[in-house]
Amino acid sequence: MDKILEAVVMSSYPNNVKQGLVRRVIEAAKQPMDSEQCWSMLELSTKLYLTGDTKYKREIGKEVLEVYGHYHPEEFEEFFNVRFLLSLLQEGYGPLGKRSHYILDYIQLGLQFVLESPSANSIFSLLRIEVLRKVCERPSPKQCAKISKLLTQHPQCIPTGKHQVLFCQQLIRCIGQFQCISEGEEDIMEFLEQVNKVSGLLQRIWRTQTSAILPSLKELFTIISSTEEQEAPSNALASVVQFVPLELMDGVIRNLTNDDSITDVQMMTAISRMIDWVSWPLGKNIDKWIIGLLKGLAAVKKFSILIEVTLSKIEKVFSKLLYPIVREGALSVLQYMLLSFQHSHEAFHLLLPHIPRLVASLKKEDSNSATSSLEQLAELIHCMFFRFSGFPDLYEPVLEAVKALPIPNEDRIKHLLGQNAWTSQKNELACFYPRLASKSETGKIGLINLGNTCYMNSIIQSLFMASDFRHSVLNLTEGNSQPLMTKLQWLFAFLEHSQRPAISPESFLSASWPPWFTPGAQQDCSEYLKYLLDRLHEEEKTGKRIYQKLKESSLMSQAMEHRYLNKTLIEKMFGGKMMTKIRCLKCLNVSSREEAFTDLSLAFPPPDRHVRGSTSVLPVEEVGPQFIERPENPSQLTGSPWIPRKPPVARDSATPLMPVETLGVQEPGEAANPLRDNAIGMDAPKDPLLAFGEQAGAPKDSRSVPDLINYFLSPEKLTAENKYHCEKCASLQDAEKVAELTEGPHYLILTLLRFSFDPRTMKRKKILDNVSIPVVLKLPVLVTPEETEEVCRTGKDRAALESGFMSVVYDLCSVVVHSGISSESGHYYCYSRECTDTVPHEQPCDGAPKPASDKQLDFEIQWYLFNDTRVSFSSFESVSNVTSFFPKDTAYVLFYRQRPGRQSCLLHEALAEAGCLHGEPSLHKDLMEAISKDNILYLQEQEKEARNRAAYISALPKSPLWWRDFDRDKDDDSSSGGCSPATGGGGSGSFHGLVF
């Protein structure tokens, strides 16, 4: 009968004819027959099943085997013996070089017919040994899946005792070597099914033998932490972790992170490879294990590992949000990585270029998964904005992308940041602040934040960018008996000459620290600035006078010489004077008092007071950034309202003394009409730069700096409980108080009083009103007797004698921005630029300056953004628009530099002369040596860090380039199917890129 069957199978008859003949043979096989005939048929069916070159032949072999196993059990048991199986497993079946791949399928098929036979135990014992041997030979995923299928169906064949643990470990090693060569979707799905069968077997073993779990996990960690492997282990290992009971996670991670035998490089390699598992599409709880290990490393303060791994892997994790099948796990890991990385903006900033594209892709997908992910992503982004404010230029495109998504409240943000931080002790991360490889491309140097010291960093950078002040500080001689000024000189010198990308101001912080400040807490930068300037002033004033750089000039009278040479450096640079006058409204007697100031604190007018449209005593004007020529028309000098021109007449006390005079840019020869318009800056020529200034500024109904100054200088009524005691009347009387600037400082510092005490909440609240900032400002300053004499001597602008006031022009040079809603919290950063004279030194002060052709316009002077360690190029447009994009980021302290004019001519000439004589400030020997030594030390540190970092980085597993996910999504919008980035479907290429 075997010959008949073989002839039929090998014949050239059509399959339907063969099927009929085979059916007859099979039916005949159900009848009793002798042992020899059964043996022949079993041999033939075995041959057909194992070596048949078509599926049809193998099906016939299978069918015959099943019939003989069912109807001739004794003969089948005799044929299917231990020796025969051992030969199959060790030697194979078929011609050499073409051994059958179906031996395991064949054994699984035959086992069902010998389960009750006396030889069953012998067969099981044999298979327990042989499957272990097979696994140790590292079979292919397909063969491994067949072993798993066999053992799952016949658990009696699973190795026992110590062999069982060894079997689990070797099976994990097999999984670690699984690779899917093909990129076809069907092949990938088959590969995933094979991996699931193998990991499912491990799950079955662990359920019945929990003692095998920990040795298996130890082997898994050994594989993923190995730095000697040529190729990284397969991501298929992710399928193993999903079956480990979560209740074991804490103990496993605690043992791993406290094992001294595991090196940092091994641990970093392991966690890096685990993070790659987020791309495994069928895993469960993988994100929980990754986050658990990251938290475990934070608990034992392995911050260097966490930093390296986060910076190297966060972009890849982010790219997986494109794929719905792995999105949930990837988002969980991303959230923890970002929310825990709070010591530096580096990790978040790596994602900034990719966020808009991902948001667009998720919006296009329009699924529940995408919508939920968008909301969680937006919450995460706003947490990062809150934690790392001060980067408006970088954040603007991201803010635009998420503007339509919900914004979490501040309590929610603080909760998320608080519960995910690596440590509550900020000083533990002090040595891990952003490690910048080189100086900023701007050439400027940043300042390290020493724990909420951004308020100091912003002030120092603003003072450093005040070039006249910087040069004066750097030019101070050694041994000047001014310890704080000396520390500032050293700090400025390092900011000027260090090779480091950022330096630590720790020494200066300890020396300039106001005693009432709380260490580690956020402070008011304006309060710090006032304290610092006052300390520097008092130190020079009471110590040895060392600032003797202003020299006697032929133009300098003895009075003027005394006036300038006897000032401290702070007075010369930042000091101004103000006259406060109080006039009794009954007897019209005026009392006055002059006092010095280093900054003007500008309050906000009440909401119902529109300063721009009202009148005030003294005018302040915002002008365009063009070159300002000296006014030829005497009427451009504004008169004092309290210099009598005719006897006063009785009038209503509410009537303003004098309307605000418009000081807009005039056409040549046009006379200014002080009553033409009472709004500042109107009717000015439509200069292109002026138009830009209007466009870049705030909305028209917002406040402006001139509004606040006008409000500061406007008359104040002293009535009711605030009446003034008039000495002439000898009683309390209604009065009017007004302030007049009598001397404009070289650097004008304006503080916008944004913080006020709220008795309801018992906290200082912040005024978030947007205030437009002019790049050029005219300030009215009272003409002094010395200046009046000078005007008379030059023979020009004699009308100044009658008018009493002259306009002093200031250029904006720094803006300190506060980000936040309270003075006790938030963040400070600053915009700065180097303002220099627009008038060449050779030109006489009494002549009208001529614009230099090589001088850039104000809008073209480079702005810089200083944010602790980071320094970047910026623009005035960014300065103007920052509050529009980020409502909590508001200008707080402004620095303006006075342009050369009559009042400041001598000081400007002295500064320019010092610059011509000495060039760049020359530092004393000790300071130069300290900088040189530190630069050498920095280079040595860089070399050492480069070696250490190379060792770390070389240990990181090689993985596919993460950005291909973004490129594929961008270039293949037409893909469709089950796994594409946008739709959750996918062509084979995108799916292969996802998993592998």
Side-chain angles (χ1 to χ4, degrees):
M1 188 178 292
D2 58 303
K3 300 295 182 184
I4 297 172
L5 179 60
E6 185 174 13
V8 171
V9 172
M10 299 301 176
S11 69
S12 58
Y13 292 129
N15 282 348
N16 58 341
V17 175
K18 291 182 183 181
Q19 192 65 33
L21 296 173
V22 169
R23 187 58 53 197
R24 292 183 183 183
V25 173
I26 289 175
E27 288 298 325
K30 295 178 180 180
Q31 304 302 319
M33 61 178 64
D34 58 68
S35 178
E36 184 179 352
Q37 184 64 45
C38 284
W39 195 278
S40 298
M41 286 296 289
L42 286 169
E43 284 184 335
L44 176 61
S45 59
T46 297
K47 178 182 177 181
L48 290 173
Y49 188 87
L50 292 177
T51 62
D53 55 1
T54 64
K55 186 178 180 181
Y56 175 70
K57 291 178 182 179
R58 291 193 298 274
E59 287 293 333
I60 291 175
K62 178 184 177 183
E63 201 168 349
V64 173
L65 280 170
E66 288 174 338
V67 168
Y68 277 84
H70 186 73
Y71 290 98
H72 307 282
E74 293 180 4
E75 288 79 5
F76 188 90
E77 181 183 344
E78 183 182 354
F79 178 81
F80 200 77
N81 58 63
V82 172
R83 182 175 296 178
F84 174 59
L85 294 180
L86 182 61
S87 172
L88 285 177
L89 290 167
Q90 292 190 354
E91 300 175 14
Y93 188 94
L96 194 64
K98 292 186 178 181
R99 298 298 194 191
S100 174
H101 298 294
Y102 300 99
I103 290 175
L104 291 171
D105 304 271
Y106 176 82
I107 293 174
Q108 182 180 342
L109 177 65
L111 274 177
Q112 60 183 310
F113 301 110
V114 297
L115 294 176
E116 304 299 329
S117 69
S119 64
N121 288 333
S122 299
I123 293 174
F124 294 154
S125 297
L126 170 69
L127 290 175
R128 290 188 197 110
I129 296 172
E130 284 302 305
V131 294
L132 177 57
R133 183 184 63 79
K134 280 281 187 185
V135 168
C136 289
E137 292 176 353
R138 304 290 180 264
S140 67
K142 190 172 185 179
Q143 291 300 308
C144 241
K146 289 182 178 181
I147 294 174
S148 300
K149 184 179 179 182
L150 170 65
L151 299 184
T152 301
Q153 190 168 342
H154 301 289
Q156 307 95 319
C157 303
I158 296 174
T160 57
K162 292 183 178 179
H163 285 170
Q164 188 177 80
V165 172
L166 181 59
F167 175 77
C168 290
Q169 292 175 328
Q170 293 302 316
L171 199 60
I172 289 172
R173 285 207 168 268
C174 284
I175 298 174
Q177 293 189 357
F178 285 177
Q179 298 296 334
C180 183
I181 308 293
S182 172
E183 293 192 4
E185 189 168 334
E186 291 184 4
D187 294 332
I188 292 173
M189 296 304 295
E190 182 183 1
F191 173 76
L192 293 175
E193 187 178 351
Q194 293 163 356
V195 173
N196 269 2
K197 285 181 180 177
V198 179
S199 58
L201 173 62
L202 283 170
Q203 180 191 24
R204 183 185 182 94
I205 295 174
W206 290 345
R207 279 178 178 172
T208 57
Q209 196 68 36
T210 55
S211 60
I213 297 177
L214 292 181
S216 299
L217 290 180
K218 186 174 181 180
E219 189 70 18
L220 173 64
F221 186 82
T222 301
I223 295 169
I224 63 176
S225 64
S226 173
T227 59
E228 299 174 358
E229 300 291 336
Q230 292 290 333
E231 293 185 5
S234 171
N235 281 350
L237 287 170
S239 64
V240 175
V241 177
Q242 64 181 324
F243 295 124
V244 181
L246 290 177
E247 54 266 25
L248 296 179
M249 185 168 69
D250 289 343
V252 169
I253 290 175
R254 193 180 308 113
N255 290 336
L256 281 177
T257 54
N258 288 282
D259 189 340
D260 294 335
S261 66
I262 300 173
T263 67
D264 285 358
V265 172
Q266 288 175 321
M267 182 61 76
M268 188 177 72
T269 303
I271 187 62
S272 297
R273 287 169 173 165
M274 284 182 67
I275 290 173
D276 286 342
W277 293 351
V278 297
S279 61
W280 187 257
L282 301 177
K284 296 178 181 178
N285 298 329
I286 295 172
D287 56 320
K288 294 182 175 65
W289 279 93
I290 295 171
I291 294 171
L293 186 52
L294 291 172
K295 288 182 176 179
L297 291 171
V300 295
K301 307 189 188 313
K302 296 285 188 179
F303 301 128
S304 59
I305 297 176
L306 291 167
I307 290 169
E308 291 293 345
V309 168
T310 301
L311 294 179
S312 64
K313 292 295 181 181
I314 194 166
E315 289 173 286
K316 182 173 183 180
V317 173
F318 183 79
S319 72
K320 298 309 170 188
L321 299 182
L322 289 166
Y323 304 93
I325 197 170
V326 297
R327 183 177 292 151
E328 183 178 357
L331 186 56
S332 295
V333 175
L334 179 72
Q335 284 174 323
Y336 179 76
M337 292 175 85
L338 274 183
L339 290 172
S340 62
F341 203 92
Q342 294 186 27
H343 70 287
S344 162
H345 57 259
E346 291 172 282
F348 178 50
H349 285 193
L350 286 174
L351 305 181
L352 294 180
H354 317 299
I355 291 175
R357 203 187 317 175
L358 176 69
V359 171
S361 179
L362 292 177
K363 287 179 178 178
K364 182 180 177 182
E365 182 181 318
D366 193 25
S367 66
N368 290 336
S369 167
T371 301
S372 173
S373 298
L374 273 174
E375 292 178 356
Q376 293 179 67
L377 184 63
E379 182 176 72
L380 190 57
I381 290 169
H382 283 289
C383 286
M384 294 298 99
F385 284 167
F386 180 87
R387 180 65 187 86
F388 305 116
S389 56
F391 302 93
D393 296 349
L394 289 178
Y395 293 167
E396 187 177 319
V398 176
L399 187 66
E400 182 68 22
V402 301
K403 65 181 180 181
L405 298 171
I407 300 175
N409 60 43
E410 189 167 329
D411 290 339
R412 169 66 175 167
I413 290 173
K414 289 180 178 177
H415 171 72
L416 289 173
L417 291 171
Q419 71 176 7
N420 288 285
W422 286 337
T423 173
S424 59
Q425 305 299 317
K426 293 181 180 179
N427 60 338
E428 292 180 341
L429 286 165
C431 59
F432 298 107
Y433 281 95
R435 295 158 301 162
L436 307 174
S438 60
K439 254 187 184 181
S440 161
E441 60 181 352
T442 64
K444 305 296 182 183
I445 297 175
L447 290 169
I448 295 173
N449 191 314
L450 302 173
N452 278 331
T453 58
C454 54
Y455 67 91
M456 178 188 71
N457 290 349
S458 298
I459 292 301
I460 290 175
Q461 294 286 20
S462 297
L463 292 174
F464 177 80
M465 292 296 284
S467 53
D468 299 332
F469 177 65
R470 178 177 76 245
H471 290 153
S472 297
V473 171
L474 293 175
N475 271 320
L476 291 176
T477 57
E478 195 174 2
N480 52 48
S481 302
Q482 298 181 69
L484 184 58
M485 185 67 83
T486 299
K487 286 187 179 293
L488 182 62
Q489 182 187 43
W490 278 62
L491 182 56
F492 277 6
F494 272 83
L495 284 173
E496 184 90 23
H497 298 289
S498 177
Q499 293 301 313
R500 295 180 183 273
I503 59 175
S504 171
E506 185 173 6
S507 176
F508 188 76
L509 173 65
S510 60
S512 63
W513 183 275
W516 61 89
F517 276 16
T518 304
Q522 184 62 276
Q523 305 294 342
D524 188 328
C525 76
S526 173
E527 187 178 2
Y528 173 77
L529 174 61
K530 290 175 183 177
Y531 175 79
L532 175 61
L533 295 182
D534 186 59
R535 277 276 309 276
L536 293 170
H537 168 69
E538 291 298 327
E539 188 178 77
E540 181 180 354
K541 186 177 176 182
T542 57
K544 181 183 177 182
R545 294 195 173 274
I546 53 89
Y547 190 74
Q548 298 294 335
K549 297 192 181 299
L550 290 178
K551 299 185 176 180
E552 186 174 355
S553 167
S554 59
L555 296 176
M556 186 182 290
S557 64
Q558 286 189 352
M560 295 293 282
E561 180 181 354
H562 177 80
R563 176 180 173 185
Y564 282 108
L565 293 183
N566 287 285
K567 286 186 173 184
T568 65
L569 178 59
I570 299 305
E571 286 177 313
K572 293 167 187 170
M573 292 294 161
F574 305 102
K577 290 185 178 178
M578 182 189 311
M579 181 77 71
T580 302
K581 298 179 180 179
I582 302 178
R583 179 172 57 181
C584 174
L585 294 181
K586 181 178 181 182
C587 68
L588 300 181
N589 181 58
V590 177
S591 64
S592 61
R593 183 181 75 256
E594 187 177 53
E595 51 191 355
F597 67 88
T598 54
D599 80 311
L600 296 180
S601 298
L602 306 180
F604 282 71
D608 57 343
R609 175 158 181 174
H610 303 286
V611 177
R612 188 182 299 262
S614 66
T615 59
S616 64
V617 172
L618 299 177
V620 179
E621 183 193 358
E622 171 183 351
V623 297
Q626 70 282 359
F627 193 89
I628 306 296
E629 291 196 2
R630 188 165 310 283
E632 293 290 342
N633 194 314
S635 64
Q636 285 183 277
L637 294 173
T638 308
S640 169
W642 289 355
I643 295 178
R645 291 171 174 76
K646 59 181 179 179
V649 294
R651 51 183 168 84
D652 190 337
S653 61
T655 305
L657 297 176
M658 180 179 177
V660 174
E661 189 174 342
T662 301
L663 297 179
V665 181
Q666 295 174 224
E667 295 293 341
E670 178 187 356
N673 181 0
L675 302 178
R676 180 181 58 190
D677 199 326
N678 61 4
I680 294 175
M682 293 183 65
D683 288 352
K686 292 299 180 182
D687 184 279
L689 289 172
L690 277 175
F692 175 81
E694 292 172 5
Q695 184 181 2
K700 291 183 179 179
D701 57 349
S702 69
R703 301 290 188 185
S704 68
V705 170
D707 289 342
L708 302 189
I709 299 178
N710 276 334
Y711 180 60
F712 177 82
L713 297 176
S714 61
E716 177 187 357
K717 300 293 186 187
L718 304 178
T719 58
E721 296 179 357
N722 200 26
K723 284 188 177 183
Y724 164 69
H725 185 274
C726 178
E727 293 182 359
K728 189 173 182 179
C729 298
S731 62
L732 292 175
Q733 298 293 337
D734 288 345
E736 191 172 56
K737 182 172 75 172
V738 71
E740 295 177 344
L741 300 178
T742 58
E743 184 179 323
H746 184 61
Y747 283 101
L748 172 67
I749 300 175
L750 303 176
T751 301
L752 311 188
L753 297 179
R754 291 188 173 275
F755 301 111
S756 60
F757 184 75
D758 186 349
R760 184 177 56 84
T761 61
M762 301 300 290
K763 292 182 179 179
R764 294 176 74 192
K765 64 178 182 179
K766 180 179 177 181
I767 301 171
L768 294 172
D769 294 2
N770 194 0
V771 177
S772 61
I773 305 169
V775 71
V776 181
L777 183 71
K778 277 187 178 180
L779 201 65
V781 177
L782 192 66
V783 179
T784 63
E786 291 88 351
E787 289 165 336
T788 302
E789 181 182 341
E790 180 69 18
V791 169
C792 291
R793 193 175 63 80
T794 58
K796 292 193 176 185
D797 288 347
R798 295 182 180 274
L801 289 172
E802 297 180 2
S803 63
F805 282 88
M806 62 185 299
S807 292
V808 179
V809 180
Y810 283 90
D811 294 297
L812 180 67
C813 54
S814 287
V815 178
V816 178
V817 176
H818 177 263
S819 176
I821 59 172
S822 167
S823 62
E824 289 82 18
S825 63
H827 180 63
Y828 289 100
Y829 57 95
C830 74
Y831 294 92
S832 288
R833 63 172 181 164
E834 296 232 25
C835 287
T836 54
D837 294 340
T838 56
V839 184
H841 171 58
E842 309 77 63
Q843 291 182 338
C845 288
D846 59 348
K850 298 178 180 178
S853 59
D854 59 343
K855 180 67 185 174
Q856 291 178 311
L857 291 172
D858 285 336
F859 269 98
E860 296 171 349
I861 297 176
Q862 183 62 60
W863 282 88
Y864 302 94
L865 175 57
F866 294 89
N867 188 2
D868 290 335
T869 55
R870 183 179 181 272
V871 187
S872 59
F873 290 115
S874 191
S875 65
F876 181 68
E877 184 177 11
S878 178
V879 179
S880 302
N881 291 337
V882 62
T883 307
S884 301
F885 283 101
F886 302 92
K888 295 179 183 178
D889 291 27
T890 54
Y892 184 39
V893 179
L894 312 178
F895 287 72
Y896 281 88
R897 179 182 183 272
Q898 186 180 146
R899 285 191 183 180
R902 293 184 187 83
Q903 191 187 54
S904 61
C905 181
L906 295 171
L907 179 57
H908 277 276
E909 279 198 351
L911 291 169
E913 185 179 347
C916 292
L917 290 175
H918 305 289
E920 283 299 313
S922 56
L923 307 178
H924 57 78
K925 182 179 177 182
D926 289 348
L927 185 48
M928 285 301 298
E929 287 180 356
I931 294 172
S932 298
K933 287 180 180 179
D934 186 70
N935 286 339
I936 293 172
L937 177 62
Y938 171 65
L939 293 176
Q940 294 171 344
E941 291 172 357
Q942 287 293 94
E943 291 174 2
K944 183 179 179 181
E945 184 178 343
R947 287 194 297 270
N948 295 339
R949 189 174 176 82
Y952 265 61
I953 297 301
S954 63
L956 289 173
K958 304 296 185 293
S959 56
L961 299 178
W962 57 266
W963 57 78
R964 287 178 182 168
D965 295 314
F966 288 105
D967 292 339
R968 186 180 301 112
D969 179 50
K970 177 179 67 175
D971 300 332
D972 189 21
D973 291 336
S974 60
S975 62
S976 61
C979 298
S980 70
T983 63
S988 59
S990 64
F991 192 69
H992 186 271
L994 163 66
V995 183
F996 313 107

